[in-house]
Amino acid sequence: TEPRLGQSQGTLLASLVRLSLVLLAYLEPSSVKFLQACSRLRCFLHWVLEILRESVALGGYSQAFHELTAPLDRIVLAIVLQCHRALSRCSVVLVEMESSPW
């Protein structure tokens, strides 16, 4: 049985995640493009987690940390940190919108 997402897709997926993280860093939190970038990043995160699940199932990596899945672990960490940063930017925009008298 061949995994749906393998080593060849891992490199491409890492590049796509990096590009999405760069976009999130520079886009305005209230823009449509920001929402689209978040949606793409969610899909990429799902695929990264799928690769991790398959590598654990096929390779028998039962350790919490394994050097073969370390690059994917770092990608997941980068996504979580960038999402935290993006949410804090969104909260600043929301506070600004709520405090302005319209």
Side-chain angles (χ1 to χ4, degrees):
T1 64
E2 187 172 322
R4 288 183 297 160
L5 296 169
Q7 293 295 345
S8 60
Q9 292 91 348
T11 307
L12 176 63
L13 189 56
S15 296
L16 292 171
V17 167
R18 286 185 191 108
L19 288 173
S20 294
L21 292 175
V22 168
L23 276 175
L24 283 181
Y26 290 104
L27 290 173
E28 287 296 319
S30 58
S31 69
V32 173
K33 289 185 180 188
F34 184 85
L35 282 173
Q36 291 170 343
C38 288
S39 180
R40 277 192 302 271
L41 188 59
R42 179 184 52 81
C43 291
F44 298 153
L45 176 61
H46 176 75
W47 290 342
V48 167
L49 292 175
E50 189 69 27
I51 290 175
L52 283 170
R53 275 189 224 105
E54 286 182 0
S55 65
V56 168
L58 295 175
Y61 309 128
S62 59
Q63 302 169 338
F65 175 79
H66 195 278
E67 67 181 54
L68 293 176
T69 59
L72 295 172
D73 293 338
R74 285 192 289 273
I75 289 174
V76 171
L77 179 61
I79 291 171
V80 169
L81 292 174
Q82 184 64 25
C83 289
H84 177 71
R85 182 178 179 273
L87 285 173
S88 70
R89 288 176 57 210
C90 288
S91 70
V92 168
V93 170
L94 184 61
V95 166
E96 188 71 29
M97 290 172 61
E98 288 179 348
S99 66
S100 66
W102 286 339

